[in-house]
Amino acid sequence: MLINRASDIPSSEITSEGIYHNRREFIKTASAAVAAAATGLLLPACTEAAAPQLPGKQPGKYDTNEKMTPYEDVTTYNNFYEFGTGKDEPAKLSRSFKPLPWTVAVEGLVKKPAVYAYDDLIKGLTMEDRVYRMRCVEAWSMVIPWLGFPLADLIKKLEPLPSAKYVEFTTLNAPDRMPGQRPSFFGGGLKWPYVEGLRMDEAMNPLTLLATGLYGKALPNQNGAPIRLVTPWKYGFKGIKSIVKIRFVDKEPGNTWKLTGPSEYGFFANVNPTVDHPRWSQASERRLGEFLKRKTLMFNGYAEQVAQMYSGMDLRKNY
Ligand SMILES: Nc1nc2c(c(=O)[nH]1)N[C@H]1C(S)=C(S)[C@@H](COP(=O)(O)O)O[C@H]1N2
Ligand SMILES: [Mo]
């Protein structure tokens, strides 16, 4: 049976997220296009790939009931430039990465700053399964059952000062463990470490998760082990992986993609079908494993829970 694989996605949608294309990426993209063209006629035949369901899981109030993207796709079609710029590279090049032991430094405008061992950081927080849509700015999307806890629960435990207006996150910077960070690596040209930020109300929104697993299992390395951010109403790039630092600040923090290409990526990065990225339409998306495109929903379908945070803001300027 022929399953519509991630590699069948048209080359126009699997180009590098970075603004600096490299030759290797181009060659890979071109050969994927040839492969897609060769199998193109067979694509619609059998798109009912078995999506494993979570046994015994009752849909919660934040869960989408859409079909989950197969585990295989969620864990082999990734963006994680620390392990290479190709979608297939993080799964391969992160194989020997050891996420534990792990520490997370909590800094800035907060009552309980410390370098927390991973177990101490998550102590007392209640883990939940949450099935969320994820949409990448490159116009592909997935449905992923995350395991994690609301970021709000951790923030309350850490007790930020009233002067804290934003939360800044930083990914591990360790070229010896993350080959994509080595100067010798023919990579995506990002400045390390990868950084990301949220406004305090976004960080406190009940949808915002720190994920430590997916499909009920520990987070695979390529998905951001051992702990990563998930903000389902924002483009995938806000979901910073392998977090080693959380800092409470009073000014809007930098975020890697905006720092890389401010004309293409903003701070808010809310999923918005009416505001196009210069290189990709944001009006529709292709769900991994599906043939036909679907319309992209405002705030990725989470408008009811998040729209009020942006009332009065010009989302064309604040993209
Ligand atoms: N540290 C780090 N976090 C990152 C990235 C990255 O390159 N480095 N890529 C982002 C992008 S562009 C996307 S779409 C999501 C992909 O998450 P997934 O591979 O778990 O689906 O991770 C985001 N988090
Ligand atoms: Mo992305």
Side-chain angles (χ1 to χ4, degrees):
M1 162 151 145
L2 208 133
I3 297 170
N4 186 7
R5 307 280 317 145
S7 57
D8 296 329
I9 290 175
S11 60
S12 59
E13 289 171 30
I14 55 174
T15 51
S16 160
E17 194 135 352
I19 55 172
Y20 308 110
H21 289 270
N22 64 48
R23 194 176 133 73
R24 199 171 47 140
E25 192 75 24
F26 174 76
I27 291 167
K28 223 179 334 183
T29 303
S31 51
V34 171
T39 56
L41 285 172
L42 299 168
L43 287 182
C46 184
T47 53
E48 289 301 303
Q53 301 294 315
L54 289 176
K57 159 113 173 91
Q58 299 297 315
K61 69 170 174 173
Y62 299 116
D63 292 339
T64 173
N65 56 14
E66 289 168 72
K67 194 178 81 175
M68 295 179 213
T69 302
Y71 182 83
E72 174 72 8
D73 289 337
V74 174
T75 57
T76 56
Y77 194 82
N78 300 103
N79 269 337
F80 198 174
Y81 278 38
E82 284 84 342
F83 294 105
T85 56
K87 300 283 181 273
D88 57 335
E89 282 181 315
K92 293 173 188 158
L93 299 181
S94 72
R95 232 167 246 159
S96 60
F97 182 76
K98 299 233 174 350
L100 297 175
W102 192 262
T103 58
V104 177
V106 173
E107 300 179 357
L109 306 167
V110 63
K111 282 196 191 140
K112 296 178 178 165
V115 176
Y116 291 88
Y118 174 75
D119 286 341
D120 294 333
L121 186 83
I122 67 171
K123 198 181 282 168
L125 304 176
T126 308
M127 295 286 169
E128 288 174 50
D129 291 297
R130 295 265 188 103
V131 186
Y132 281 168
R133 288 177 219 101
M134 190 277 262
R135 190 196 189 280
C136 180
V137 74
E138 295 163 284
W140 46 271
S141 64
M142 306 195 205
V143 174
I144 304 177
W146 296 107
L147 179 65
F149 54 85
L151 174 60
D153 293 355
L154 175 65
I155 290 178
K156 284 177 206 149
K157 175 174 136 169
L158 298 173
E159 297 184 50
L161 305 178
S163 51
K165 304 291 182 226
Y166 296 87
V167 189
E168 179 197 76
F169 304 86
T170 307
T171 293
L172 177 68
N173 188 16
D176 54 324
R177 300 168 68 192
M178 297 179 140
Q181 291 179 331
R182 289 174 204 158
S184 59
F185 196 89
F186 197 53
L190 294 182
K191 277 210 197 83
W192 312 112
Y194 193 103
V195 289
E196 193 43 83
L198 292 175
R199 214 168 56 187
M200 191 56 84
D201 59 336
E202 299 175 324
M204 295 299 290
N205 189 282
L207 282 173
T208 307
L209 286 190
L210 282 180
T212 60
L214 55 82
Y215 271 108
K217 297 189 223 174
L219 208 54
N221 292 338
Q222 59 269 37
N223 294 91
I227 188 162
R228 60 87 57 85
L229 182 67
V230 178
T231 49
W233 72 97
K234 294 177 179 285
Y235 292 113
F237 70 81
K238 294 290 281 189
I240 182 171
K241 297 175 169 182
S242 305
I243 296 165
V244 292
K245 187 159 66 174
I246 300 177
R247 201 156 67 99
F248 294 88
V249 295
D250 57 2
K251 290 188 186 63
E252 185 180 288
N255 51 305
T256 287
W257 287 105
K258 182 178 176 182
L259 294 167
T260 306
S263 62
E264 302 208 348
Y265 308 98
F267 175 78
F268 286 96
N270 292 316
V271 173
N272 187 340
T274 70
V275 179
D276 284 341
H277 179 278
R279 285 185 288 135
W280 299 285
S281 163
Q282 302 299 337
S284 65
E285 67 198 60
R286 191 187 305 277
R287 193 65 52 82
L288 251 67
E290 291 183 0
F291 178 66
L292 294 174
K293 282 196 170 187
R294 58 174 71 213
K295 279 200 170 119
T296 289
L297 303 172
M298 189 61 202
F299 296 114
N300 205 21
Y302 299 95
E304 212 178 296
Q305 291 101 320
V306 305
Q308 79 285 351
M309 292 192 289
Y310 309 103
S311 64
M313 265 177 80
D314 182 350
L315 297 178
R316 286 200 162 269
K317 285 197 187 117
N318 297 285
Y319 53 88

